[in-house]
Amino acid sequence: MTFADRLKTLIGEESVSGFARRVDISEALIRKYLKGSEPSLTKANQIAIRANCSLEWLATGCGYLYRHAEVVDQHALISAYTTVTGQTPTNEQTIELVKMVSGYQFLRKHKKTDGYLDIEAMTTFLSIAKMERK
């Protein structure tokens, strides 16, 4: 998988122009990367930070797609749920809890330039994360 392929995965169903705005890199430069050009380390890091992606994965394809801060420790989550509710969550409840915590963590770190929560970016993030689980 090339850098361009990984970038396409990261963009997902979001428009190239929307993704470019989100990572604060010109659309022309993003399109150049999609055609096979390799970014500098500074630009790759900027994309990784703004797209909440692991720089290691973006640069090499190794490691996790998302930064570890976005990875939910399911054992800890299930333990917390059980302690708070006195019940063990079903598999379906666990999946929903993971989505909720992942979405929360994403929103906590990603705000629009006006300071508001970026719900649209979170939705994209969750749809990509869902694809990764398959």
Side-chain angles (χ1 to χ4, degrees):
M1 185 181 256
T2 66
F3 177 84
D5 293 330
R6 290 186 295 278
L7 186 59
K8 286 175 192 169
T9 297
L10 201 55
I11 293 170
E13 293 182 24
E14 186 175 4
S15 70
V16 173
S17 60
F19 181 81
R21 280 191 304 275
R22 182 159 59 97
V23 299
D24 197 25
I25 293 179
S26 73
E27 182 178 345
L29 192 52
I30 295 294
R31 290 190 184 283
K32 185 176 174 183
Y33 297 152
L34 288 169
K35 289 181 181 174
S37 181
E38 296 282 331
S40 68
L41 180 58
T42 302
K43 290 293 184 190
N45 191 49
Q46 181 177 339
I47 292 168
I49 289 170
R50 303 265 172 103
N52 193 43
C53 171
S54 159
L55 177 59
E56 178 186 18
W57 179 85
L58 184 60
T60 68
C62 297
Y64 293 99
L65 171 57
Y66 296 106
R67 295 190 310 232
H68 284 286
E70 301 302 293
V71 175
V72 176
D73 180 338
Q74 286 191 31
H75 180 70
L77 181 62
I78 291 168
S79 296
Y81 181 89
T82 302
T83 300
V84 170
T85 67
Q87 300 173 359
T88 302
T90 65
N91 287 339
E92 293 79 20
Q93 288 171 318
T94 300
I95 290 167
E96 291 302 310
L97 287 167
V98 167
K99 285 184 201 175
M100 183 184 65
V101 171
S102 297
Y104 164 77
Q105 289 177 195
F106 183 91
L107 287 172
R108 196 181 54 159
K109 292 182 178 180
H110 298 86
K111 297 204 173 153
K112 294 180 181 180
T113 54
D114 59 9
Y116 287 97
L117 298 175
D118 197 341
I119 304 296
E120 184 178 330
M122 180 199 63
T123 302
T124 300
F125 165 78
L126 290 174
S127 70
I128 292 170
K130 183 177 180 182
M131 289 176 13
E132 273 301 299
R133 270 188 257 131
K134 290 181 180 178

mmCIF file of all heavy atoms in Angstrom, residues 81-115:
data_model
loop_
_atom_site.group_PDB
_atom_site.id
_atom_site.type_symbol
_atom_site.label_atom_id
_atom_site.label_comp_id
_atom_site.label_asym_id
_atom_site.label_seq_id
_atom_site.Cartn_x
_atom_site.Cartn_y
_atom_site.Cartn_z
ATOM 1 N N TYR A 81 -18.039 -0.093 32.966
ATOM 2 C CA TYR A 81 -19.480 -0.240 32.764
ATOM 3 C C TYR A 81 -20.073 -1.178 33.821
ATOM 4 O O TYR A 81 -21.098 -0.883 34.422
ATOM 5 C CB TYR A 81 -19.760 -0.769 31.354
ATOM 6 C CG TYR A 81 -21.227 -0.927 31.036
ATOM 7 C CD1 TYR A 81 -21.944 0.126 30.482
ATOM 8 C CD2 TYR A 81 -21.901 -2.124 31.281
ATOM 9 C CE1 TYR A 81 -23.297 -0.008 30.185
ATOM 10 C CE2 TYR A 81 -23.244 -2.268 30.992
ATOM 11 C CZ TYR A 81 -23.942 -1.199 30.443
ATOM 12 O OH TYR A 81 -25.274 -1.341 30.151
ATOM 13 N N THR A 82 -19.401 -2.298 34.033
ATOM 14 C CA THR A 82 -19.877 -3.288 35.004
ATOM 15 C C THR A 82 -19.884 -2.705 36.416
ATOM 16 O O THR A 82 -20.841 -2.901 37.174
ATOM 17 C CB THR A 82 -19.005 -4.562 34.942
ATOM 18 O OG1 THR A 82 -19.062 -5.074 33.611
ATOM 19 C CG2 THR A 82 -19.490 -5.617 35.904
ATOM 20 N N THR A 83 -18.843 -1.956 36.757
ATOM 21 C CA THR A 83 -18.763 -1.338 38.087
ATOM 22 C C THR A 83 -19.867 -0.308 38.286
ATOM 23 O O THR A 83 -20.522 -0.272 39.327
ATOM 24 C CB THR A 83 -17.387 -0.688 38.295
ATOM 25 O OG1 THR A 83 -16.380 -1.705 38.174
ATOM 26 C CG2 THR A 83 -17.284 -0.027 39.652
ATOM 27 N N VAL A 84 -20.114 0.506 37.278
ATOM 28 C CA VAL A 84 -21.109 1.578 37.391
ATOM 29 C C VAL A 84 -22.532 1.035 37.365
ATOM 30 O O VAL A 84 -23.381 1.448 38.154
ATOM 31 C CB VAL A 84 -20.916 2.627 36.270
ATOM 32 C CG1 VAL A 84 -22.063 3.612 36.224
ATOM 33 C CG2 VAL A 84 -19.589 3.367 36.467
ATOM 34 N N THR A 85 -22.800 0.076 36.473
ATOM 35 C CA THR A 85 -24.180 -0.406 36.301
ATOM 36 C C THR A 85 -24.491 -1.684 37.069
ATOM 37 O O THR A 85 -25.665 -2.017 37.236
ATOM 38 C CB THR A 85 -24.490 -0.659 34.815
ATOM 39 O OG1 THR A 85 -23.684 -1.759 34.363
ATOM 40 C CG2 THR A 85 -24.244 0.569 33.965
ATOM 41 N N GLY A 86 -23.459 -2.412 37.451
ATOM 42 C CA GLY A 86 -23.680 -3.697 38.102
ATOM 43 C C GLY A 86 -24.022 -4.795 37.119
ATOM 44 O O GLY A 86 -24.423 -5.890 37.506
ATOM 45 N N GLN A 87 -23.891 -4.502 35.817
ATOM 46 C CA GLN A 87 -24.211 -5.479 34.771
ATOM 47 C C GLN A 87 -23.057 -5.551 33.776
ATOM 48 O O GLN A 87 -22.346 -4.569 33.574
ATOM 49 C CB GLN A 87 -25.473 -5.057 34.020
ATOM 50 C CG GLN A 87 -26.692 -4.936 34.901
ATOM 51 C CD GLN A 87 -27.866 -4.339 34.125
ATOM 52 O OE1 GLN A 87 -27.769 -4.012 32.961
ATOM 53 N NE2 GLN A 87 -28.990 -4.196 34.812
ATOM 54 N N THR A 88 -22.903 -6.704 33.148
ATOM 55 C CA THR A 88 -21.914 -6.852 32.088
ATOM 56 C C THR A 88 -22.580 -6.474 30.765
ATOM 57 O O THR A 88 -23.669 -6.964 30.471
ATOM 58 C CB THR A 88 -21.407 -8.311 32.024
ATOM 59 O OG1 THR A 88 -20.863 -8.653 33.296
ATOM 60 C CG2 THR A 88 -20.351 -8.479 30.952
ATOM 61 N N PRO A 89 -21.940 -5.610 29.969
ATOM 62 C CA PRO A 89 -22.575 -5.227 28.706
ATOM 63 C C PRO A 89 -22.595 -6.379 27.703
ATOM 64 O O PRO A 89 -21.700 -7.220 27.697
ATOM 65 C CB PRO A 89 -21.688 -4.090 28.193
ATOM 66 C CG PRO A 89 -20.353 -4.339 28.816
ATOM 67 C CD PRO A 89 -20.633 -4.975 30.140
ATOM 68 N N THR A 90 -23.630 -6.400 26.871
ATOM 69 C CA THR A 90 -23.701 -7.373 25.779
ATOM 70 C C THR A 90 -22.687 -6.964 24.721
ATOM 71 O O THR A 90 -22.129 -5.856 24.761
ATOM 72 C CB THR A 90 -25.106 -7.384 25.140
ATOM 73 O OG1 THR A 90 -25.326 -6.103 24.530
ATOM 74 C CG2 THR A 90 -26.188 -7.694 26.165
ATOM 75 N N ASN A 91 -22.443 -7.824 23.744
ATOM 76 C CA ASN A 91 -21.534 -7.480 22.644
ATOM 77 C C ASN A 91 -22.018 -6.237 21.910
ATOM 78 O O ASN A 91 -21.217 -5.371 21.556
ATOM 79 C CB ASN A 91 -21.396 -8.647 21.669
ATOM 80 C CG ASN A 91 -20.559 -9.774 22.234
ATOM 81 O OD1 ASN A 91 -19.763 -9.575 23.150
ATOM 82 N ND2 ASN A 91 -20.748 -10.970 21.710
ATOM 83 N N GLU A 92 -23.330 -6.142 21.679
ATOM 84 C CA GLU A 92 -23.895 -4.982 20.982
ATOM 85 C C GLU A 92 -23.684 -3.707 21.805
ATOM 86 O O GLU A 92 -23.342 -2.660 21.265
ATOM 87 C CB GLU A 92 -25.389 -5.178 20.694
ATOM 88 C CG GLU A 92 -25.694 -6.289 19.695
ATOM 89 C CD GLU A 92 -25.643 -7.699 20.302
ATOM 90 O OE1 GLU A 92 -25.742 -7.839 21.546
ATOM 91 O OE2 GLU A 92 -25.479 -8.656 19.534
ATOM 92 N N GLN A 93 -23.898 -3.799 23.121
ATOM 93 C CA GLN A 93 -23.687 -2.633 23.984
ATOM 94 C C GLN A 93 -22.213 -2.228 23.990
ATOM 95 O O GLN A 93 -21.903 -1.040 23.974
ATOM 96 C CB GLN A 93 -24.150 -2.925 25.416
ATOM 97 C CG GLN A 93 -25.653 -2.985 25.567
ATOM 98 C CD GLN A 93 -26.067 -3.479 26.946
ATOM 99 O OE1 GLN A 93 -25.481 -4.412 27.483
ATOM 100 N NE2 GLN A 93 -27.079 -2.833 27.509
ATOM 101 N N THR A 94 -21.328 -3.214 23.994
ATOM 102 C CA THR A 94 -19.889 -2.916 23.981
ATOM 103 C C THR A 94 -19.512 -2.175 22.705
ATOM 104 O O THR A 94 -18.769 -1.192 22.750
ATOM 105 C CB THR A 94 -19.062 -4.211 24.133
ATOM 106 O OG1 THR A 94 -19.395 -4.830 25.377
ATOM 107 C CG2 THR A 94 -17.575 -3.925 24.093
ATOM 108 N N ILE A 95 -20.037 -2.615 21.573
ATOM 109 C CA ILE A 95 -19.754 -1.944 20.294
ATOM 110 C C ILE A 95 -20.236 -0.494 20.349
ATOM 111 O O ILE A 95 -19.522 0.425 19.945
ATOM 112 C CB ILE A 95 -20.404 -2.707 19.119
ATOM 113 C CG1 ILE A 95 -19.677 -4.040 18.906
ATOM 114 C CG2 ILE A 95 -20.399 -1.878 17.842
ATOM 115 C CD1 ILE A 95 -20.392 -5.011 17.990
ATOM 116 N N GLU A 96 -21.431 -0.275 20.865
ATOM 117 C CA GLU A 96 -21.974 1.082 20.966
ATOM 118 C C GLU A 96 -21.152 1.934 21.948
ATOM 119 O O GLU A 96 -20.906 3.116 21.702
ATOM 120 C CB GLU A 96 -23.445 1.049 21.385
ATOM 121 C CG GLU A 96 -24.367 0.497 20.316
ATOM 122 C CD GLU A 96 -24.304 1.263 19.006
ATOM 123 O OE1 GLU A 96 -24.422 2.508 19.033
ATOM 124 O OE2 GLU A 96 -24.132 0.629 17.956
ATOM 125 N N LEU A 97 -20.734 1.331 23.049
ATOM 126 C CA LEU A 97 -19.907 2.059 24.024
ATOM 127 C C LEU A 97 -18.562 2.465 23.414
ATOM 128 O O LEU A 97 -18.088 3.579 23.626
ATOM 129 C CB LEU A 97 -19.675 1.210 25.276
ATOM 130 C CG LEU A 97 -20.867 1.036 26.200
ATOM 131 C CD1 LEU A 97 -20.596 -0.075 27.216
ATOM 132 C CD2 LEU A 97 -21.192 2.342 26.915
ATOM 133 N N VAL A 98 -17.947 1.557 22.657
ATOM 134 C CA VAL A 98 -16.679 1.864 21.996
ATOM 135 C C VAL A 98 -16.866 3.025 21.024
ATOM 136 O O VAL A 98 -16.055 3.954 20.982
ATOM 137 C CB VAL A 98 -16.097 0.616 21.294
ATOM 138 C CG1 VAL A 98 -14.958 0.992 20.355
ATOM 139 C CG2 VAL A 98 -15.633 -0.408 22.314
ATOM 140 N N LYS A 99 -17.951 3.000 20.243
ATOM 141 C CA LYS A 99 -18.237 4.104 19.313
ATOM 142 C C LYS A 99 -18.397 5.420 20.072
ATOM 143 O O LYS A 99 -17.872 6.454 19.668
ATOM 144 C CB LYS A 99 -19.516 3.837 18.522
ATOM 145 C CG LYS A 99 -19.389 2.827 17.432
ATOM 146 C CD LYS A 99 -20.724 2.761 16.698
ATOM 147 C CE LYS A 99 -20.904 1.491 15.943
ATOM 148 N NZ LYS A 99 -22.226 1.382 15.346
ATOM 149 N N MET A 100 -19.137 5.366 21.180
ATOM 150 C CA MET A 100 -19.387 6.575 21.953
ATOM 151 C C MET A 100 -18.087 7.141 22.516
ATOM 152 O O MET A 100 -17.810 8.338 22.397
ATOM 153 C CB MET A 100 -20.363 6.303 23.086
ATOM 154 C CG MET A 100 -20.720 7.549 23.878
ATOM 155 S SD MET A 100 -21.767 7.219 25.286
ATOM 156 C CE MET A 100 -20.692 6.226 26.293
ATOM 157 N N VAL A 101 -17.266 6.283 23.108
ATOM 158 C CA VAL A 101 -16.007 6.750 23.699
ATOM 159 C C VAL A 101 -15.059 7.245 22.608
ATOM 160 O O VAL A 101 -14.403 8.281 22.764
ATOM 161 C CB VAL A 101 -15.356 5.642 24.558
ATOM 162 C CG1 VAL A 101 -13.953 6.032 24.995
ATOM 163 C CG2 VAL A 101 -16.224 5.341 25.765
ATOM 164 N N SER A 102 -14.990 6.539 21.486
ATOM 165 C CA SER A 102 -14.141 6.976 20.370
ATOM 166 C C SER A 102 -14.591 8.329 19.843
ATOM 167 O O SER A 102 -13.771 9.215 19.590
ATOM 168 C CB SER A 102 -14.168 5.952 19.236
ATOM 169 O OG SER A 102 -13.644 4.728 19.648
ATOM 170 N N GLY A 103 -15.903 8.484 19.671
ATOM 171 C CA GLY A 103 -16.445 9.763 19.207
ATOM 172 C C GLY A 103 -16.165 10.874 20.197
ATOM 173 O O GLY A 103 -15.767 11.986 19.818
ATOM 174 N N TYR A 104 -16.334 10.599 21.470
ATOM 175 C CA TYR A 104 -16.046 11.581 22.523
ATOM 176 C C TYR A 104 -14.576 11.997 22.481
ATOM 177 O O TYR A 104 -14.249 13.182 22.517
ATOM 178 C CB TYR A 104 -16.390 10.996 23.896
ATOM 179 C CG TYR A 104 -15.775 11.756 25.033
ATOM 180 C CD1 TYR A 104 -16.312 12.962 25.456
ATOM 181 C CD2 TYR A 104 -14.632 11.286 25.671
ATOM 182 C CE1 TYR A 104 -15.726 13.677 26.490
ATOM 183 C CE2 TYR A 104 -14.045 11.987 26.693
ATOM 184 C CZ TYR A 104 -14.596 13.192 27.104
ATOM 185 O OH TYR A 104 -14.007 13.897 28.122
ATOM 186 N N GLN A 105 -13.671 11.004 22.415
ATOM 187 C CA GLN A 105 -12.238 11.313 22.386
ATOM 188 C C GLN A 105 -11.892 12.139 21.154
ATOM 189 O O GLN A 105 -11.080 13.061 21.223
ATOM 190 C CB GLN A 105 -11.415 10.018 22.419
ATOM 191 C CG GLN A 105 -11.465 9.328 23.749
ATOM 192 C CD GLN A 105 -10.724 8.007 23.780
ATOM 193 O OE1 GLN A 105 -10.934 7.273 24.681
ATOM 194 N NE2 GLN A 105 -9.887 7.690 22.818
ATOM 195 N N PHE A 106 -12.510 11.806 20.020
ATOM 196 C CA PHE A 106 -12.255 12.567 18.796
ATOM 197 C C PHE A 106 -12.716 14.014 18.962
ATOM 198 O O PHE A 106 -11.976 14.946 18.672
ATOM 199 C CB PHE A 106 -12.966 11.911 17.606
ATOM 200 C CG PHE A 106 -12.683 12.597 16.304
ATOM 201 C CD1 PHE A 106 -11.623 12.184 15.517
ATOM 202 C CD2 PHE A 106 -13.454 13.663 15.874
ATOM 203 C CE1 PHE A 106 -11.334 12.831 14.323
ATOM 204 C CE2 PHE A 106 -13.183 14.319 14.686
ATOM 205 C CZ PHE A 106 -12.108 13.893 13.910
ATOM 206 N N LEU A 107 -13.944 14.195 19.443
ATOM 207 C CA LEU A 107 -14.487 15.542 19.598
ATOM 208 C C LEU A 107 -13.696 16.370 20.599
ATOM 209 O O LEU A 107 -13.530 17.583 20.430
ATOM 210 C CB LEU A 107 -15.958 15.481 20.034
ATOM 211 C CG LEU A 107 -16.936 15.043 18.961
ATOM 212 C CD1 LEU A 107 -18.318 14.832 19.574
ATOM 213 C CD2 LEU A 107 -16.991 16.025 17.813
ATOM 214 N N ARG A 108 -13.189 15.721 21.615
ATOM 215 C CA ARG A 108 -12.417 16.419 22.638
ATOM 216 C C ARG A 108 -11.151 17.016 22.049
ATOM 217 O O ARG A 108 -10.687 18.067 22.470
ATOM 218 C CB ARG A 108 -12.064 15.417 23.733
ATOM 219 C CG ARG A 108 -11.610 16.008 25.023
ATOM 220 C CD ARG A 108 -11.296 14.908 25.968
ATOM 221 N NE ARG A 108 -10.342 14.021 25.303
ATOM 222 C CZ ARG A 108 -9.550 13.188 25.924
ATOM 223 N NH1 ARG A 108 -9.600 13.070 27.214
ATOM 224 N NH2 ARG A 108 -8.717 12.427 25.256
ATOM 225 N N LYS A 109 -10.597 16.380 21.036
ATOM 226 C CA LYS A 109 -9.335 16.827 20.455
ATOM 227 C C LYS A 109 -9.486 17.616 19.167
ATOM 228 O O LYS A 109 -8.532 18.237 18.723
ATOM 229 C CB LYS A 109 -8.455 15.615 20.177
ATOM 230 C CG LYS A 109 -7.993 14.946 21.415
ATOM 231 C CD LYS A 109 -7.098 13.802 21.063
ATOM 232 C CE LYS A 109 -6.600 13.153 22.325
ATOM 233 N NZ LYS A 109 -5.728 12.050 22.049
ATOM 234 N N HIS A 110 -10.645 17.544 18.537
ATOM 235 C CA HIS A 110 -10.821 18.176 17.228
ATOM 236 C C HIS A 110 -11.969 19.165 17.269
ATOM 237 O O HIS A 110 -13.117 18.760 17.298
ATOM 238 C CB HIS A 110 -11.100 17.119 16.153
ATOM 239 C CG HIS A 110 -9.981 16.167 15.983
ATOM 240 N ND1 HIS A 110 -9.863 15.041 16.755
ATOM 241 C CD2 HIS A 110 -8.906 16.189 15.175
ATOM 242 C CE1 HIS A 110 -8.767 14.403 16.398
ATOM 243 N NE2 HIS A 110 -8.167 15.075 15.449
ATOM 244 N N LYS A 111 -11.632 20.412 17.228
ATOM 245 C CA LYS A 111 -12.651 21.450 17.175
ATOM 246 C C LYS A 111 -12.478 22.232 15.878
ATOM 247 O O LYS A 111 -11.392 22.296 15.323
ATOM 248 C CB LYS A 111 -12.521 22.371 18.377
ATOM 249 C CG LYS A 111 -12.752 21.605 19.662
ATOM 250 C CD LYS A 111 -13.196 22.475 20.768
ATOM 251 C CE LYS A 111 -13.543 21.557 21.867
ATOM 252 N NZ LYS A 111 -13.537 21.755 23.107
ATOM 253 N N LYS A 112 -13.558 22.807 15.431
ATOM 254 C CA LYS A 112 -13.491 23.665 14.258
ATOM 255 C C LYS A 112 -12.707 24.918 14.626
ATOM 256 O O LYS A 112 -12.495 25.210 15.806
ATOM 257 C CB LYS A 112 -14.901 24.051 13.807
ATOM 258 C CG LYS A 112 -15.716 22.891 13.298
ATOM 259 C CD LYS A 112 -17.084 23.374 12.880
ATOM 260 C CE LYS A 112 -17.938 22.241 12.380
ATOM 261 N NZ LYS A 112 -19.264 22.699 11.982
ATOM 262 N N THR A 113 -12.308 25.672 13.621
ATOM 263 C CA THR A 113 -11.535 26.889 13.889
ATOM 264 C C THR A 113 -12.330 27.895 14.715
ATOM 265 O O THR A 113 -11.751 28.717 15.408
ATOM 266 C CB THR A 113 -11.084 27.556 12.571
ATOM 267 O OG1 THR A 113 -12.240 27.775 11.750
ATOM 268 C CG2 THR A 113 -10.098 26.682 11.829
ATOM 269 N N ASP A 114 -13.671 27.798 14.679
ATOM 270 C CA ASP A 114 -14.496 28.713 15.473
ATOM 271 C C ASP A 114 -14.712 28.205 16.903
ATOM 272 O O ASP A 114 -15.420 28.815 17.694
ATOM 273 C CB ASP A 114 -15.851 28.970 14.799
ATOM 274 C CG ASP A 114 -16.669 27.701 14.576
ATOM 275 O OD1 ASP A 114 -16.289 26.623 15.092
ATOM 276 O OD2 ASP A 114 -17.692 27.781 13.882
ATOM 277 N N GLY A 115 -14.095 27.046 17.238
ATOM 278 C CA GLY A 115 -14.184 26.518 18.588
ATOM 279 C C GLY A 115 -15.303 25.517 18.811
ATOM 280 O O GLY A 115 -15.367 24.872 19.855
#
